[in-house]
């Protein structure tokens, strides 16, 4: 442990908390924020690759489709505070679908 060094740090703009457990894949860290933003951060540098703005605070962990899944592909999934579930393209941040959970 004494040999570990901080590689980078990231502050969530417009947020005082982040309740979303991050996920790591495709050379990125995916994490959601209190203001509804999902960030894809470069694992190496911490720079923002893309951002997606959900309708409300991201309240679930970011879940990635199984690598090599021919149906799901390179997708990530998460839910927000108002009961919506999203699927985004993990490489571009493009929304694939959104559904209200009832």
């Amino acid at each position: 442990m004494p040999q570990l060094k901080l590689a980078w740090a990231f502050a969530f703009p417009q947020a005082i908390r982040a309740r979303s457990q991050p996920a790591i894949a495709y050379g990125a860290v995916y994490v959601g924020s209190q203001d509804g933003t999902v960030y894809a951060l470069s694992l190496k540098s911490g720079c923002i690759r893309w951002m997606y703005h959900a309708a409300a605070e991201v309240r679930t962990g970011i879940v990635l489709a199984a690598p090599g899944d021919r149906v799901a592909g390179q997708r990530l999934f998460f839910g927000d505070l108002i009961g919506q579930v999203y699927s985004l393209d993990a490489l571009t941040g493009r929304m694939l679908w959104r559904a209200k959970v009832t």
Side-chain angles (χ1 to χ4, degrees):
M1 296 291 276
Q3 296 154 348
L4 293 178
K5 295 180 183 174
L6 179 65
W8 53 266
F10 180 77
F12 292 97
Q14 307 302 314
I16 58 171
R17 65 180 175 259
R19 296 181 177 173
S20 171
Q21 181 176 351
I24 298 174
Y26 312 116
V29 176
Y30 301 95
V31 66
S33 176
Q34 176 186 8
D35 72 352
T37 305
V38 174
Y39 296 93
L41 306 171
S42 167
L43 188 57
K44 187 178 245 186
S45 68
C47 293
I48 299 171
R49 288 188 176 176
W50 56 256
M51 297 182 304
Y52 174 81
H53 299 284
E57 178 180 357
V58 178
R59 288 294 302 266
T60 67
I62 306 296
V63 178
L64 289 138
D69 184 326
R70 291 186 187 143
V71 176
Q74 297 169 325
R75 295 181 184 188
L76 58 89
F77 307 92
F78 67 94
D80 70 16
L81 181 66
I82 58 174
Q84 296 187 96
V85 178
Y86 300 78
S87 177
L88 306 181
D89 181 297
L91 300 182
T92 67
R94 182 176 61 90
M95 184 179 70
L96 301 170
W97 55 259
R98 177 176 73 183
K100 178 76 173 168
V101 178
T102 56

